Amino acid sequence: MISAEQNELMTRGGPDTPGGKLLRNYWQPVALVEELEGKRPVKPVKLLGQDLVLFRDENGSYGLLDRDCPHRGADLAFGRIEDGGLRCAFHGWLFDVHGQCLQTPAEPEGSKLSQRIRQKSYPVVEKSGILFAWLGDASQPTAPAAFPHFDCFVAPGTHTFAFKGFLECNWLQALEVGIDPAHASYLHRFVEDEDTSGGYGRQFRGSSADSDMPITKLLREFDRPEIEVEKTPYGMRLIAVRRINAADPHVRVTNLVFPQAFVIPMSAEMTISQWHVPVDDTHCYWYAIFTSFTRPVDKQKLREQLLTFYPLPNFTPPLNNPTNNGSAPHQHPPSPPTRRPP
């Protein structure tokens, strides 16, 4: 067990905390590209405890600025996209994607005030359907950090699909669950097995490579995996072994890329690259890129399936509510006896 002090050190993500300063040195998902594809591509976001505004200008460039206008503190999320930037709705100050003020309309004709005004801005890049931002110290000689070359970023766009979901917990709590191979035998347990041919895009519903045993059966009957942890130059690797018999162990590998990205198998042909990103210290979003190593991804099917659990507009689970009425005893029939390996 870790101490309360160690817990605080790792879980707090504000600008002045050690954990927050660390996470700001890495590219963080800030939104899905699709969230800025409407008629008004302006979105308020909260990331690592900071209130920000994300927008796309008329030229298709993305900008991420501090949300409060430097003039009178008005909310730039109410601004308009026009004349090459984001215009504040209060007095019309106009900012480009780099935070440079382009116009201060209330000033006298010929005023050069706008040239001296710059809103704090943060680099944004588009990768495989996700917009990533870098909130680190721009004065560092290596700023911003190099972007990683994961499989999900170099695969063709036809073979990747991005999505996200909102969670009411600290980012590290969610990350721990994401890399934990043991919980799947209980949280993701199914008491009956379905035809695995219909398991496309549904985690734990297909079969593993070189086997026709449904993953649901594997998790249910072999619920005590042997877990090995290996340190790697990029973070660590978790290897979970479920021994079906002496000759046929089932091996599942999870790669954790420091500080908070991990890659897990979705099926025999697809992986999930995932991040848990702090909104603040008690809420986070998970962002995932589904990457197919064989055929193009059926994006419409994946989207429809995931929207059932994380619907628009905020990708918030409908069952995750304070009334505690999202579950009933009849939804949890007793499980069959667990099968232990010989």
Side-chain angles (χ1 to χ4, degrees), residues 22-85:
L22 171 70
L23 293 176
R24 281 168 172 77
N25 284 319
Y26 294 85
W27 289 94
Q28 301 289 341
V30 65
L32 297 175
V33 171
E34 68 175 67
E35 294 182 82
L36 269 73
E37 290 181 342
K39 294 182 179 179
R40 185 176 177 273
V42 181
K43 179 177 178 60
V45 296
K46 191 168 188 176
L47 180 66
L48 292 163
Q50 287 184 241
D51 289 309
L52 308 165
V53 59
L54 179 68
F55 67 98
R56 190 187 74 244
D57 68 15
E58 299 101 321
N59 297 318
S61 298
Y62 293 100
L64 183 67
L65 309 178
D66 282 347
R67 190 168 164 180
D68 54 332
C69 180
H71 180 209
R72 299 288 293 274
D75 189 346
L76 288 175
F78 290 101
R80 299 191 298 271
I81 299 297
E82 60 186 34
D83 299 329

Side-chain angles (χ1 to χ4, degrees), residues 8 26 70 79 81 115 129 155 191 204 259:
E8 289 287 308
Y26 294 85
I81 299 297
Q115 299 175 16
V191 298
F204 307 120

Side-chain angles (χ1 to χ4, degrees), residues 26-341:
Y26 294 85
W27 289 94
Q28 301 289 341
V30 65
L32 297 175
V33 171
E34 68 175 67
E35 294 182 82
L36 269 73
E37 290 181 342
K39 294 182 179 179
R40 185 176 177 273
V42 181
K43 179 177 178 60
V45 296
K46 191 168 188 176
L47 180 66
L48 292 163
Q50 287 184 241
D51 289 309
L52 308 165
V53 59
L54 179 68
F55 67 98
R56 190 187 74 244
D57 68 15
E58 299 101 321
N59 297 318
S61 298
Y62 293 100
L64 183 67
L65 309 178
D66 282 347
R67 190 168 164 180
D68 54 332
C69 180
H71 180 209
R72 299 288 293 274
D75 189 346
L76 288 175
F78 290 101
R80 299 191 298 271
I81 299 297
E82 60 186 34
D83 299 329
L86 178 65
R87 189 180 296 281
C88 180
F90 197 2
H91 286 84
W93 285 23
L94 181 69
F95 300 91
D96 67 14
V97 296
H98 304 293
Q100 179 61 53
C101 184
L102 303 177
Q103 296 177 8
T104 53
E107 292 296 307
E109 188 72 30
S111 171
K112 297 183 179 180
L113 176 64
S114 64
Q115 299 175 16
R116 304 194 301 270
I117 298 172
R118 194 178 188 92
Q119 179 73 329
K120 184 68 178 294
S121 65
Y122 308 90
V124 178
V125 296
E126 177 184 346
K127 294 286 185 178
S128 300
I130 295 179
L131 296 175
F132 288 80
W134 192 81
L135 274 61
D137 183 357
S139 66
Q140 297 178 7
T142 57
F147 203 89
H149 291 280
F150 298 166
D151 288 334
C152 62
F153 298 137
V154 298
T158 54
H159 287 62
T160 62
F161 170 74
F163 201 77
K164 75 178 195 179
F166 181 73
L167 299 174
E168 295 185 55
C169 66
N170 182 267
W171 72 273
L172 188 56
Q173 289 176 291
L175 173 63
E176 289 175 331
V177 174
I179 65 174
D180 168 28
H183 82 281
S185 287
Y186 291 91
L187 183 63
H188 302 288
R189 172 173 289 195
F190 290 83
V191 298
E192 295 180 354
D193 303 314
E194 299 177 353
D195 183 356
T196 57
S197 63
Y200 181 84
R202 303 163 70 194
Q203 194 172 18
F204 307 120
R205 304 303 285 274
S207 59
S208 60
D210 302 322
S211 172
D212 57 2
M213 177 183 288
I215 293 295
T216 50
K217 182 177 181 179
L218 175 78
L219 294 176
R220 185 176 64 247
E221 297 190 357
F222 302 92
D223 62 348
R224 188 173 294 172
E226 301 171 17
I227 302 174
E228 300 177 11
V229 179
E230 298 178 355
K231 292 184 178 180
T232 67
Y234 54 80
M236 67 180 183
R237 180 185 299 115
L238 289 85
I239 303 171
V241 180
R242 289 177 165 86
R243 300 194 179 277
I244 302 172
N245 54 55
D248 298 306
H250 177 273
V251 181
R252 186 175 191 265
V253 178
T254 298
N255 287 293
L256 173 66
V257 183
F258 187 84
Q260 77 217 84
F262 62 86
V263 183
I264 55 177
M266 170 76 168
S267 65
E269 65 174 301
M270 191 178 295
T271 62
I272 304 174
S273 303
Q274 190 160 314
W275 295 256
H276 289 93
V277 185
V279 174
D280 51 33
D281 290 340
T282 56
H283 304 83
C284 69
Y285 272 102
W286 61 260
Y287 285 82
I289 300 176
F290 300 78
T291 306
S292 173
F293 289 79
T294 54
R295 50 182 167 160
V297 173
D298 187 338
K299 300 187 181 188
Q300 181 177 352
K301 188 169 187 176
L302 285 178
R303 179 178 172 80
E304 290 174 354
Q305 291 172 351
L306 289 165
L307 283 175
T308 301
F309 301 100
Y310 296 92
L312 299 174
N314 297 317
F315 302 91
T316 302
L319 295 183
N320 191 20
N321 62 68
T323 60
N324 295 319
N325 63 0
S327 179
H330 70 272
Q331 293 177 305
H332 301 279
S335 301
T338 299
R339 176 179 164 190
R340 298 294 183 191

